[in-house]
Amino acid sequence: MCAIDMEPCEVWRETPRMARKDHVCSCCGADIKPGSTYTDHFSIFERAASQAKLCEPCRADRDAFAEAHGGMKPHPSCFVETLEDCIQDGDDDSEARWKPMLTNVQGRGRASERNTNEC
């Protein structure tokens, strides 16, 4: 496990939803089409509220990453940056798990449309 430290939020709520309109994943920038399942994220950290959408593949990847890192989940818009930091720290799983996961996340959508304001 890498040395990444994530502070807990005052509020953290994630709700599975069925899309009724087009959305964009805050993690990878992929389109979330009507009829697709996604995770609606809301959190408050240091009195600042934040909302995000997370496509199912990114949610599954983030859950696997969190399980390997003590259960702490990064904010959806910070997941790519968190993966990059973990890889840079030289985590034992970097080559086998995190680098391929990062490649998959970055390849899913349009990185230029990711919301990175929260990191």
Side-chain angles (χ1 to χ4, degrees):
M1 184 166 66
C2 60
I4 291 174
D5 182 28
M6 292 177 268
E7 295 183 33
C9 291
E10 299 153 37
V11 174
W12 183 278
R13 182 178 66 226
E14 292 190 337
T15 308
R17 302 231 188 258
M18 180 74 66
R20 292 178 287 170
K21 63 179 189 172
D22 288 327
H23 297 284
V24 174
C25 178
S26 300
C27 178
C28 70
D31 292 327
I32 300 171
K33 295 291 187 185
S36 299
T37 302
Y38 70 97
T39 299
D40 186 27
H41 170 92
F42 174 79
S43 60
I44 299 175
F45 180 70
E46 295 180 348
R47 291 185 236 143
S50 155
Q51 289 189 282
K53 309 278 190 263
L54 192 61
C55 70
E56 280 302 297
C58 284
R59 184 207 49 80
D61 284 345
R62 191 186 60 153
D63 286 353
F65 181 84
E67 185 177 318
H69 289 83
M72 292 296 290
K73 294 180 181 181
H75 188 281
S77 65
C78 297
F79 183 44
V80 168
E81 182 178 322
T82 303
L83 272 172
E84 291 169 341
D85 290 347
C86 185
I87 292 165
Q88 187 175 8
D89 275 2
D91 184 312
D92 291 340
D93 289 333
S94 288
E95 290 299 319
R97 292 182 74 185
W98 312 137
K99 282 185 179 182
M101 183 181 285
L102 177 61
T103 299
N104 288 339
V105 171
Q106 291 174 324
R108 265 196 280 279
R110 301 175 307 267
S112 63
E113 293 193 29
R114 284 188 358 218
N115 176 6
T116 57
N117 296 334
E118 311 304 325
C119 302

